[in-house]
Amino acid sequence: LLSIYILLPTVFKNSKMFSSSNSKRPDKYTTGLINMTTDCFANSTLQALASLNGLNDYLNKLIKFHSIVSIIVSSAPTDTDENVEAQKLLTSTFPSLSLHYGLIDILSKLQETIYTSRVISVWDFLHILEKIYNSRISRNQHDAHELLQLILETLEKEHLSLKLFILKNSKFLLNYKIQSISQSESTSESLFINFKKLVESLPIFPFTSELESYFKCLKCGGVSSKNYNPMTILS
């Protein structure tokens, strides 16, 4: 019976049950993260992030928002010297969100439907972190929690830089939108509403939270004053 069990797939390899078409089903393979040396601390972190539906939703919305603002900035009016200088300033200070795009790239590869075996390296993503901080991550073993904290803090900084850019330059961007679309049937009033909706559509950073701390007496039940500190991840 054991011999039959082992040899049966070979004997009937041309049958429908064991046909090669079964290797084309989309759930047979998933992209793996290769562990060249001591990359498991980073691999586990990226695999954890890849499983968060809320993070995927945030990244999709933020990149769409970033693309719209990028189009507005790149096509700002240059009809006067003042507008030329303003456009140059906008372009030079426009946030790049490099870690967001790097995270999207590697998460897309991990979540992509594939039909053959495939592995990728986490270092394509880690090199972006190295470039941002102009430093080098050693190839030794590290703590996954510390890496996750660094990733989230960097993402939060990029998110804040985009928000501050919008708030700082909203007057110029709003004036440009009114000037550029006033030639159509749209009115400046509706344009203001649309721009306001655009600003409001900036998604909230999904890991934004606060840690509340206080002392409570176990005898009398008295509670001290409460302190609130920003937090992106529980220790």
Side-chain angles (χ1 to χ4, degrees):
L1 288 176
L2 181 60
S3 299
I4 293 175
Y5 176 78
I6 294 174
L7 297 175
L8 192 64
T10 304
V11 174
F12 295 99
K13 64 181 179 180
N14 294 324
S15 67
K16 185 177 180 180
M17 180 183 296
F18 300 104
S19 66
S20 59
S21 61
N22 285 333
S23 65
K24 298 300 182 183
R25 68 177 200 262
D27 61 338
K28 185 171 183 178
Y29 297 102
T30 56
T31 300
L33 288 168
I34 192 169
N35 187 9
M36 297 296 292
T37 53
T38 54
D39 303 342
C40 51
F41 76 98
N43 290 346
S44 59
T45 299
L46 267 296
Q47 286 172 336
L49 292 175
S51 67
L52 301 178
N53 292 330
L55 176 60
N56 284 272
D57 184 55
Y58 159 77
L59 290 173
N60 289 331
K61 290 180 179 178
L62 186 72
I63 294 307
K64 181 179 179 181
F65 180 92
H66 185 259
S67 299
I68 294 174
V69 178
S70 177
I71 293 173
I72 296 175
V73 170
S74 61
S75 52
T78 56
D79 51 341
T80 64
D81 292 340
E82 182 180 356
N83 283 340
V84 169
E85 293 301 319
Q87 204 272 347
K88 288 181 179 179
L89 181 61
L90 285 176
T91 303
S92 62
T93 59
F94 185 62
S96 63
L97 305 188
S98 56
L99 194 66
H100 278 82
Y101 280 97
L103 185 60
I104 287 175
D105 180 59
I106 194 167
L107 294 190
S108 298
K109 291 176 181 177
L110 290 175
Q111 299 166 355
E112 184 181 9
T113 300
I114 58 174
Y115 295 91
T116 57
S117 179
R118 182 176 71 174
V119 293
I120 59 176
S121 173
V122 73
W123 280 99
D124 289 339
F125 175 75
L126 295 182
H127 287 323
I128 300 175
L129 270 176
E130 291 180 328
K131 186 176 181 180
I132 290 174
Y133 291 100
N134 193 25
S135 184
R136 184 177 181 274
I137 300 174
S138 71
R139 269 47 178 177
N140 297 325
Q141 181 63 273
H142 297 283
D143 185 72
H145 177 272
E146 292 179 358
L147 176 63
L148 179 59
Q149 184 72 42
L150 177 62
I151 291 173
L152 297 185
E153 287 180 355
T154 308
L155 291 175
E156 188 175 32
K157 288 178 182 178
E158 290 187 347
H159 178 275
L160 181 60
S161 67
L162 180 60
K163 182 177 181 179
L164 292 177
F165 176 86
I166 294 296
L167 294 176
K168 183 179 179 180
N169 302 287
S170 59
K171 183 177 180 180
F172 177 84
L173 295 174
L174 176 61
N175 290 336
Y176 163 60
K177 290 287 287 182
I178 292 176
Q179 292 172 8
S180 62
I181 309 181
S182 61
Q183 300 174 358
S184 64
E185 298 178 357
S186 301
T187 63
S188 59
E189 181 179 358
S190 64
L191 224 350
F192 177 77
I193 295 174
N194 291 335
F195 185 81
K196 184 178 180 181
K197 288 182 177 179
L198 173 65
V199 175
E200 292 174 349
S201 67
L202 176 64
I204 298 174
F205 187 66
F207 297 94
T208 298
S209 55
E210 284 187 336
L211 182 65
E212 179 188 75
S213 59
Y214 59 90
F215 293 99
K216 181 177 181 179
C217 179
L218 296 179
K219 291 185 177 180
C220 69
V223 178
S224 69
S225 59
K226 297 180 180 180
N227 295 318
Y228 297 90
N229 297 296
M231 178 188 68
T232 56
I233 181 175
L234 281 172
S235 299

